[in-house]
C-alpha cells in the first residue's frame, strides 16, 4: 500500500528576473544529465550551449552549440560567458575557481558556494553536521596512523573514500582489517581521504528538490533506491515508508538547500535506520539519477524544474500522477531495448551513447503503475 505522503506544493514566488525567451543557457558538462537539461530548456524556449571536452558528448546532439574544451580553459569560458545569459552545470566537479570567474560576469547557478561545500566529502559532511543534520561517523585521513586511530573508533571497519571525484562506487573501498586498511590506503592514493563508519540501514531514499532564485522551494516525492556494484539500479516511488519519515526527509532537504543558498535542483541521499530515523549520506547539487522517474509521471520533471529555477521562472508542480519504478540500463542492458519497447505503460529514454561499456549508463526506463 502506498504511504500517505505527497510532497507539498511548491512555494509560489513570482520573480522579476526571469531569463527572456530565446536567450541562451550555458551548460557545463555534456553527459546524459546535460542532454536532458538541454532538452528541457528547448521545451521552455531557450537555446543551449554545451561546454565539454568530449567531442562525442551526448548533450551536444540536442544543444544549439558545443564548445569542445576543458572546464578550466580560459578562452572557452570567456566564449561561453559572452554567448550566454546564464550558466548552469550537470555535475559538481567543475573547478570552483572557474565558477567564481564566471560568476563575476553573469549569473551562474548553482553557485560556487554550493560546489565548494559538496565537491569534497569531508567538507560536505562537516557542512551537513554544522546544519544540525546527522551523518554516519567520519574521520579525515592523512596517513596510516590516522586511519588506524579512526578504525579503532568505528569497530575496526569502515569505507575508505577519496574526498573528491568518486561516483557510482568509484574511489572507495571497504576495509575490515589492518592489512585491508594498508592496501586500500595505497590503492586510493595515500592522500585526501576520508573514512566513514558502516551504517546498519534499512534502505536508502533520496529527495530531489529545487530552490529558486528568490528562495522558493519544491520537492518531488522521495524515492527508495537500490544499488548494485555501487551503481543505482532502480528507484521506486512512492518509497514504502511511514509518511512522517518521508516528510522529515523533505524538511531536511529544504534546510540543506537554504543553508547552501542553493539555486536549482539538488538531491539529498538518506540512510533510513531502523525505519525510524535518517542519516544524510551525500548531497548532489544538481539533477540526479534517482529523479529520472519524474519525466514519466510528473507535470514538471526534475530537468524542467532545474531550468525553471536557474532561469528565474516559477517552480512547477511536483504532483505525481502514478506510482512507478525507474531502472537504469547499464552496459549490455541496452540490448533489452526492443523488448522494453513492446511493453505498455513504459517510458524509455536512451542517452545517445555509441560505445557500450561495463558500468556505463546507456539509458533508463520507467514502468508506470496504473491506479488500481
Amino acid at each position: 500500500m502506498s504511504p500517505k505522503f505527497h510532497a507539498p506544493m511548491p512555494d509560489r514566488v513570482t520573480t522579476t528576473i526571469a531569463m527572456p525567451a530565446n536567450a541562451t543557457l550555458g551548460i557545463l558538462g555534456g553527459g546524459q544529465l546535460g542532454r536532458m537539461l538541454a532538452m528541457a530548456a528547448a521545451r521552455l524556449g531557450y537555446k543551449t550551449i554545451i561546454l565539454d571536452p568530449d567531442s562525442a558528448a551526448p548533450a551536444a546532439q540536442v544543444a544549439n552549440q558545443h564548445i569542445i574544451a576543458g572546464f578550466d580553459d580560459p578562452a572557452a569560458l570567456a566564449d561561453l560567458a559572452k554567448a550566454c545569459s546564464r550558466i548552469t552545470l550537470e555535475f559538481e566537479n567543475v573547478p570552483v575557481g572557474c565558477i567564481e570567474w564566471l560568476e563575476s560576469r553573469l549569473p551562474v547557478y548553482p553557485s560556487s558556494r554550493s560546489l565548494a561545500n559538496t565537491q569534497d566529502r569531508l567538507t560536505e559532511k562537516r557542512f551537513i553536521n554544522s546544519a544540525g543534520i546527522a551523518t554516519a561517523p567520519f574521520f579525515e585521513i592523512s596517513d596510516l596512523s590516522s586511519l588506524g586511530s579512526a578504525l579503532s573508533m568505528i569497530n575496526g571497519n569502515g569505507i575508505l573514500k577519496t574526498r573528491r571525484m568518486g561516483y557510482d562506487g568509484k574511489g572507495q573501498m571497504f576495509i575490515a582489517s589492518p592489512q585491508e586498511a594498508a592496501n586500500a590506503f595505497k590503492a586510493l592514493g595515500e592522500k585526501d581521504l576520508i573514512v566513514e563508519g558502516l551504517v546498519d540501514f534499512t534502505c536508502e531514499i533520496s529527495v530531489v528538490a529545487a530552490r529558486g532564485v528568490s528562495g522558493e522551494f519544491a520537492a518531488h516525492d522521495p524515492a527508495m533506491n537500490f544499488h548494485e556494484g555501487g551503481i543505482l539500479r532502480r528507484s521506486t516511488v512512492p518509497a514504502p515508508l511511514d509518511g512522517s519519515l518521508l516528510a522529515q526527509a523533505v524538511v531536511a532537504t529544504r534546510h540543506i538547500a537554504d543553508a547552501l543558498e542553493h539555486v536549482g535542483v539538488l538531491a539529498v541521499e538518506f540512510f533510513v535506520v531502523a525505519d525510524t530515523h535518517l542519516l544524510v549520506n551525500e548531497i548532489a547539487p544538481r539533477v540526479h539519477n534517482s529523479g529520472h522517474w519524474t519525466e514519466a509521471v510528473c507535470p514538471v520533471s526534475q530537468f524542467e524544474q532545474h531550468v525553471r529555477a536557474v532561469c528565474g521562472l516559477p517552480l512547477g508542480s511536483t504532483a505525481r500522477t502514478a506510482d512507478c519504478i525507474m531502472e537504469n540500463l547499464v552496459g549490455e542492458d541496452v540490448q533489452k531495448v526492443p523488448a522494453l519497447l513492446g511493453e505498455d505503460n513504459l517510458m524509455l529514454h536512451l542517452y545517445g551513447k555509441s560505445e557500450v561499456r561495463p558500468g556505463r549508463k546507456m539509458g533508463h526506463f520507467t514502468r508506470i503503475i496504473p491506479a488500481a
Side-chain angles (χ1 to χ4, degrees):
M1 180 180 295
S2 300
K4 295 180 180 179
F5 173 83
H6 294 285
M9 293 297 292
D11 298 336
R12 296 299 183 184
V13 177
T14 303
T15 65
T16 58
I17 50 176
M19 198 168 86
N22 295 314
T24 300
L25 177 67
I27 303 175
L28 297 170
Q32 65 262 23
L33 299 180
R35 176 188 178 94
M36 288 182 271
L37 286 173
M39 294 169 69
R43 290 184 61 248
L44 294 177
Y46 294 128
K47 300 173 183 176
T48 52
I49 298 177
I50 302 297
L51 191 154
D52 191 285
D54 183 3
S55 60
Q61 299 169 9
V62 298
N64 296 87
Q65 184 180 341
H66 179 197
I67 299 175
I68 304 173
F71 303 116
D72 57 354
D73 184 315
L77 292 174
D79 288 343
L80 186 68
K82 291 176 184 176
C84 297
S85 296
R86 297 189 188 185
I87 291 175
T88 189
L89 47 87
E90 71 151 3
F91 77 133
E92 59 269 36
N93 291 313
V94 177
V96 170
C98 297
I99 300 299
E100 291 173 338
W101 185 89
L102 288 167
E103 285 173 330
S104 69
R105 288 155 175 79
L106 75 168
V108 182
Y109 304 119
S111 69
S112 56
R113 173 179 168 79
S114 283
L115 266 63
N117 279 289
T118 55
Q119 285 183 346
D120 182 307
R121 285 188 170 103
L122 180 64
T123 303
E124 179 181 80
K125 300 286 190 196
R126 288 172 172 168
F127 167 78
I128 294 167
N129 287 173
S130 72
I133 300 172
T135 63
F138 64 92
F139 302 89
E140 180 179 5
I141 302 303
S142 56
D143 52 32
L144 270 176
S145 176
S146 61
L147 179 55
S149 297
L151 290 172
S152 70
M153 291 185 276
I154 51 175
N155 300 317
N157 53 37
I159 303 176
L160 187 66
K161 301 180 179 182
T162 56
R163 286 170 53 178
R164 292 176 176 267
M165 299 298 289
Y167 64 96
D168 286 347
K170 299 177 177 67
Q172 55 185 276
M173 297 179 70
F174 172 79
I175 50 179
S177 71
Q179 187 58 55
E180 288 181 352
N183 293 343
F185 183 75
K186 183 176 181 179
L188 294 178
E190 302 182 332
K191 62 179 181 179
D192 298 328
L193 302 174
I194 180 175
V195 69
E196 299 176 9
L198 298 180
V199 175
D200 185 15
F201 60 95
T202 306
C203 64
E204 181 197 280
I205 63 172
S206 58
V207 177
V208 173
R211 185 176 184 273
V213 175
S214 300
E216 60 272 36
F217 179 85
H220 285 93
D221 288 352
M224 184 173 73
N225 303 319
F226 174 72
H227 294 78
E228 289 181 353
I231 300 174
L232 180 66
R233 170 54 64 183
R234 69 183 66 90
S235 295
T236 299
V237 185
L241 297 168
D242 183 77
S244 64
L245 194 68
L246 300 179
Q248 290 175 36
V250 172
V251 170
T253 299
R254 180 164 198 170
H255 188 56
I256 288 170
D258 287 341
L260 286 171
E261 298 181 343
H262 185 82
V263 173
V265 163
L266 84 166
V268 181
E269 297 178 355
F270 297 87
F271 293 132
V272 179
V273 181
D275 288 337
T276 60
H277 65 280
L278 303 169
L279 299 176
V280 170
N281 179 28
E282 64 181 26
I283 306 167
R286 52 170 171 78
V287 290
H288 193 257
N289 194 174
S290 68
H292 288 356
W293 59 271
T294 60
E295 67 179 354
V297 297
C298 294
V300 176
S301 72
Q302 65 164 337
F303 304 101
E304 180 178 330
Q305 194 80 295
H306 182 80
V307 174
R308 285 175 176 238
V310 303
C311 293
L313 300 172
L315 299 183
S317 171
T318 57
R320 178 169 47 81
T321 60
D323 297 352
C324 64
I325 300 173
M326 185 284 300
E327 186 165 337
N328 281 322
L329 293 168
V330 181
E332 295 297 332
D333 288 345
V334 74
Q335 294 180 5
K336 300 176 183 177
V337 164
L340 290 170
L341 289 174
E343 292 189 29
D344 294 332
N345 300 312
L346 183 143
M347 180 177 182
L348 176 74
H349 195 137
L350 298 178
Y351 302 152
K353 298 177 180 179
S354 58
E355 183 182 356
V356 179
R357 297 195 300 264
R360 193 181 199 196
K361 294 173 183 173
M362 304 300 296
H364 68 268
F365 62 90
T366 302
R367 285 194 171 96
I368 302 167
I369 303 171

